[in-house]
Structures are given as C-alpha cells and as structure tokens.
Amino acid sequence: MLIRQNRGGAETAPENAPPLPPLVCVLDDDPDIRGSIESLLRAEGFSVQTYASTSEFVMCDSVDRAACLLLDINLGDANGLDFQEELAGNEIPVPVILMSGYGDIPMTVRGMRAGALDFLAKPLSDDVLLAAVSDAIRKDEVRRAASAALDGTRQRYNALTNREREIMGLVTAGLMNKQIAARLGLSEITVKIHRGNMTRKMQADSLADLVRMAEELGAREASASRFNR
Amino acid sequence: MLIRQNRGGAETAPENAPPLPPLVCVLDDDPDIRGSIESLLRAEGFSVQTYASTSEFVMCDSVDRAACLLLDINLGDANGLDFQEELAGNEIPVPVILMSGYGDIPMTVRGMRAGALDFLAKPLSDDVLLAAVSDAIRKDEVRRAASAALDGTRQRYNALTNREREIMGLVTAGLMNKQIAARLGLSEITVKIHRGNMTRKMQADSLADLVRMAEELGAREASASRFNR
DNA sequence: GCCCACATCATCCTTAGGTATGATGGCGGC
DNA sequence: GCCGCCATCATACCTAAGGATGATGTGGGC
C-alpha cells in the first residue's frame, strides 16, 4: 500500500566507519591501579581512558562505539556509588563495573540495584577483570544495536510537524479520523492529509506498523537503558 | 465503533474475595531462625509459611496473593543460590530475598544478577528484614497487577479458534484482508468474518488496540517475570 | 439423528481510509 | 516582495473494512 520513498536520505552514520575498538573508561583515584588496568586492557585490544576523579570524567563524549565504565567506589573526595546513581539518573546508559577494596554486601546490593553489571573486590584478578569487561562490552554492543534500531524511527518522528505528531498520537490511540477532527476542531479531510503525510514520513507500511513505532517511541525509549541485561 | 458485548462472562476471580494478607515464605534450615522470623512477621500482619529444605518448598501453590520468599543460602544439603536460579528458570516469578551468615561479594553479585531483590547478612536486623519484606511484597503487588492485566487478554486469546488466532497474527502484522485471504487460500469475505469475530472476542476497540494486545501476548508474556523492579 | 460450533462463500450496503487536484492564508527567510 | 513550509478546507473518486442476511458443509457430542 504505502511505498517507502525518501529512503537513504541523511542517515547519521558516516557510511563505512572502520570498527573502532571497544572503549573502557577507568575511574579510580589510585594511579597505580589505573596504570595496571590500562596496560592490561590495552594488551587485550581495548581502547582505554583513565580518570582520577568524577570531575575529569566527561563520559568520553564519544558515544560512537561500545564502551563500559570501571568505577572505583572509594574515590577519596567522592563516592562511586553516588556517581553511578547520578549517571543512571541522567540516563547515561554505559554499563558499569564497580570495584572496591573495602566493599561489603550492602554496598554490593546497592550497586547491583542501580544497574551495575558486576562488583569486583580488590585486589583485582586479571582473569576476573577481563571476563567482566568483555561481558560488559558485549552487553553494550547489544544495547547499542537495539538503540540504533530505534534511532531511525526517532529521527523520522522528530522530523514530523507538531500537527503530525499530534495526529500520530491520536491515530495510534485508536481514534477514527472523524473523532480526531472533532477533538482538534478540524475538518476530517485535513486530518486525512496530515495523517497521510505523517504515515509517509514515518515510512510506516500499515497502521499496525505505526502503532508499534509509537509504542517503541513512547514506552521503551526512556526505560530501555536499564533493562538490557 | 466496536461495542463490547460479552462482558462479565466467566472471569476467574471469585467476585468479592476478602483481601488476603501477603504471604512470606521462609526457607531456612535453622529452626531458631525460622521461628524468630515467623513470629516477627506474624506480628506485622503477614502470613508466614516456613520450610526447612527445598524439597518441602512447593511454592505455596497459592498464587492468589502477593508473596515473597526469604531464602537462606546455606541450606546444608543444598545451595540457596542454585535454588533461586532454578526458580527463575522455571519462570516462578516470586520476589526473592536472600539471606546468609557467610555471604561475600561474589555470592551477592550472583544472587542479584539472578533477580534477587535484596541480600541480607545474618544476624538479621528486625528493621532491615521488615523493610526488605515490605518492599518485596510491594514489588509483587505491582507485578501481580501487571500480570492480571495480561490475564484477561490471554484468556480471550485462548478462547479464539485456530483460524481466528491465525488471522489475528496476520492482521496485526499489517496485512490487508485480501492479502490474508490470498495467503490462506480463502476468499476475502471469509477473512472479514473471522476478523470480525476475532476482534469482537478480543474486545478490541480498534486495530491499534489489537496490535498492542498482540505485542503484549507475543513480546512480553515470557519476559515479564524478570523485568519487574 | 439432531444440534451446535466451526469454517466456508456470496450479495448487498454503509462507513472509513487514502489520494489527487485545487485553493486560501500565515509566517519566516533571503 | 517572493518563495517555501505549514496548515486549513473542498470536491471527487477509489479502495478497504465492517456488518447483515443467507447458504453449504464438516465434525463432535448427546
């Protein structure tokens, strides 16, 4: 029925990006720890960025590849658990691996509840650390893939006019054109026109398609970052 | 458009069930612990059932009210973490609170990963225990409410004939009646009839409604048990 | 044997959805 | 001031969906 037209327009991905190595961010106030972790991970082919304090950590703004954060809990002037919760609150979906030399069960519970993938006791075992990092990177790759699938839909949604977004909401709520027209104080024909333009812009092949897009945009979107294990 | 008709048929709930007190199952091999937890929780108004071993625990088959499981890790002949993972594997969605006198960080990580809500170190503090249990019961109430919302839909879906289920799948995939007819080797009119019966039986007010029901039945359904925190 | 649920198809009619063409008006940028 | 985007509405036409009525056939249960 509805043929897709404006395909392959301005997608964001720069065509044939070479596969960047996964990035591991290390936030620990002990220079020795930072150094040893960095050399270990670099030897395994990871990119590594290290930070001594939370203020240094500007989240590698590069969200262009799979990444994870190795986060120490005892940061001297700051608490890693607080920082982790702050990240989660700001919807920063990077997988977190917590580390501590003085960890206990309540701290572990708190960290895991906040979404940490693992909690490693210091001194760190190379094998354990590598396994945890590999797992975290794998999780982030899955998360990024799912997020990328949403990206196209979200871009198309953002390209709609306000009226079109409004009508998309009412259409996917199950209202008929005439009900929408009455609700918005429009004539039915105007609704049809907006609806047609909206459906074409969203590249929806059917109403069912459109409903699923709306569900993804509305329902998931915000929560997706936490439920990806 | 579509008026709901066969409302209030054979719903499962026995009309005006008195609100049963939440049930706490306690699985611990120490009789003293079982006794003290039981008396504490009973004083707070909870129903309590205690078990000394995993074989005794038949999950209070009564899934007719909010519940949670207080699970000791050191069960003598069995391991609480293994048992918890077994429960999760069998899709038994009861919230679990782990307890241990010899817990460490790796055990905590494992338990939390498997979906435990909390991990309490023994000796237990009354306040901490009560807070954990209250929280778990609250979580289970939310889970049960969400699950109940699905129940009606699932019942109606199961009441469909095979043909109607088949057509529901194709309708919610976005196919037009004539496409469905071709796919199934039927005439379009027959598809319309099945579709009409199906939509009425599902009590769907619109196609959008139907698509969401199909999404819930297909996509959530199995996973809902684990993502309910 | 009869009844009922299920499935199948036909004809007829109404409503809803989708598109094309054309027209008007506001608003912002060059 | 003109052009483009957006929004609005009208007329007309076509397709899709939904419902009513009627009919045929099959299989299972009492």
Side-chain angles (χ1 to χ4, degrees), chain B residues 113-214:
Chain B
R113 272 188 179 168
L117 290 183
D118 212 336
F119 194 112
L120 306 181
K122 292 180 183 176
L124 298 168
S125 143
D126 285 3
D127 288 347
V128 169
L129 178 63
L130 278 177
V133 167
S134 301
D135 188 53
I137 293 294
R138 213 173 312 120
K139 292 264 170 50
D140 200 43
E141 278 163 357
V142 171
R143 184 196 61 78
R144 287 171 55 80
S147 168
L150 260 181
D151 252 23
T153 304
R154 187 160 42 248
Q155 275 179 31
R156 290 191 288 274
Y157 182 75
N158 290 334
L160 297 181
T161 68
N162 289 335
R163 248 322 183 218
E164 286 163 354
R165 266 189 290 273
E166 198 174 9
I167 287 184
M168 176 169 168
L170 296 172
V171 165
T172 55
L175 274 68
M176 291 181 304
N177 288 344
K178 66 169 57 178
Q179 294 175 301
I180 297 173
R183 173 98 48 119
L184 300 180
L186 299 175
S187 76
E188 187 180 345
I189 185 65
T190 302
V191 173
K192 282 186 178 183
I193 292 174
H194 287 313
R195 178 176 184 157
N197 292 335
M198 176 270 291
T199 304
R200 184 176 35 78
K201 285 185 183 177
M202 291 302 293
Q203 295 175 14
D205 291 329
S206 63
L207 176 56
D209 236 43
L210 206 58
V211 171
R212 271 184 287 269
M213 289 182 190

Side-chain angles (χ1 to χ4, degrees), chain A residues 174-196:
Chain A
L175 275 68
M176 292 182 303
N177 287 343
K178 66 169 55 178
Q179 293 176 301
I180 296 172
R183 173 99 47 121
L184 300 180
L186 299 177
S187 76
E188 188 180 345
I189 184 64
T190 303
V191 174
K192 283 185 178 182
I193 292 173
H194 286 313
R195 178 176 183 158

Side-chain angles (χ1 to χ4, degrees), chain A residues 18 21 48 50 69 79-80 88 95 103 124 128 137 152 156 178 185 194 200:
Chain A
V48 181
T50 64
L69 170 61
N79 182 307
L124 298 169
V128 169
I137 292 294
R156 289 191 287 273
K178 66 169 55 178
H194 286 313
R200 184 175 37 77

Side-chain angles (χ1 to χ4, degrees), chain A residues 49-191:
Chain A
Q49 289 181 11
T50 64
Y51 314 85
S53 70
T54 56
S55 54
E56 277 186 34
F57 179 77
V58 286
M59 185 44 209
C60 10
D61 37 32
S62 61
V63 196
D64 54 350
R65 50 178 151 174
C68 73
L69 170 61
L70 274 170
L71 176 59
D72 187 36
I73 290 189
N74 314 102
L75 290 171
D77 59 337
N79 182 307
L81 288 173
D82 290 340
F83 186 63
Q84 180 205 2
E85 284 165 5
E86 190 183 324
L87 288 178
N90 292 355
E91 311 264 352
I92 297 176
V94 60
V96 172
I97 298 169
L98 293 170
M99 311 178 291
S100 178
Y102 310 93
D104 58 19
I105 290 178
M107 286 166 63
T108 310
V109 169
R110 183 180 162 197
M112 297 296 289
R113 273 187 180 169
L117 291 184
D118 212 335
F119 194 111
L120 307 180
K122 293 180 183 178
L124 298 169
S125 142
D126 285 2
D127 287 347
V128 169
L129 179 63
L130 278 177
V133 167
S134 300
D135 189 53
I137 292 294
R138 212 173 312 118
K139 292 265 170 49
D140 200 43
E141 278 163 357
V142 171
R143 184 197 60 78
R144 287 170 56 81
S147 167
L150 260 181
D151 253 22
T153 305
R154 188 160 42 246
Q155 275 181 30
R156 289 191 287 273
Y157 183 75
N158 289 333
L160 297 180
T161 68
N162 290 334
R163 251 312 187 228
E164 286 162 354
R165 266 189 291 271
E166 199 173 9
I167 287 184
M168 176 169 168
L170 297 172
V171 165
T172 56
L175 275 68
M176 292 182 303
N177 287 343
K178 66 169 55 178
Q179 293 176 301
I180 296 172
R183 173 99 47 121
L184 300 180
L186 299 177
S187 76
E188 188 180 345
I189 184 64
T190 303
V191 174

Side-chain angles (χ1 to χ4, degrees), chain B residues 34-57:
Chain B
R34 288 201 302 274
S36 63
I37 291 179
E38 179 167 9
S39 57
L40 172 67
L41 292 178
R42 282 203 193 281
E44 293 290 328
F46 293 102
S47 289
V48 180
Q49 289 181 12
T50 64
Y51 313 85
S53 69
T54 56
S55 54
E56 276 187 34
F57 179 78

